[in-house]
Amino acid sequence: QVQLVESGGGLVQPGGPLRLSCAASGRTFSTYAMGWYRQAPGKQRELVATFTNGGSTNVANSVQGRFTISRDNAKNTVYLQMNSLKPEDTAVYYCNVRPPYMLSGYWGQGTQVTVSS
């Protein structure tokens, strides 16, 4: 029903910026939760930053003040602006969109972010 296309990942120097985007096709609404998760090698997938069903945001403490999530409802697109990147930010970043009546929602294919000098 919903397909997510992620882009913007790549290799970046520590301290540098990177912007991820996730465009959703299919039936989506502004009330759907939408945001970003990441999974580093050997670690569990974790929340990075999301818009909830109610329109508020959840942001991980580890990225607070460095990452900013934004949303363009007209384009069904969510963005993640990442600044002051650290090596520990290296992970595969996944987009997720979830209607209120679903527990897991829909996942993108993931985009690799590597922070290294």
Side-chain angles (χ1 to χ4, degrees), residues 9-80:
L11 176 64
V12 64
Q13 296 286 322
L18 203 63
R19 181 186 290 270
L20 306 182
S21 65
C22 173
S25 62
R27 292 180 292 276
T28 61
F29 302 91
S30 62
T31 55
Y32 284 14
M34 195 169 187
W36 296 92
Y37 297 73
R38 68 185 182 187
Q39 187 167 20
K43 293 187 177 181
Q44 185 177 354
R45 188 174 299 184
E46 63 179 357
L47 180 148
V48 179
T50 65
F51 289 100
T52 69
N53 296 119
S56 62
T57 58
N58 290 323
V59 182
N61 290 334
S62 59
V63 305
Q64 182 70 47
R66 299 187 298 119
F67 292 9
T68 302
I69 188 170
S70 61
R71 186 171 184 172
D72 187 337
N73 290 328
K75 297 180 179 179
N76 284 336
T77 300
V78 65
Y79 304 92
L80 185 67

Side-chain angles (χ1 to χ4, degrees), residues 1-4 24-28 32 97 99 101-102 105-106:
Q1 292 181 342
V2 176
Q3 184 172 341
L4 305 176
S25 62
R27 292 180 292 276
T28 61
Y32 284 14
V97 60
Y101 49 85
M102 294 183 67
Y106 305 93

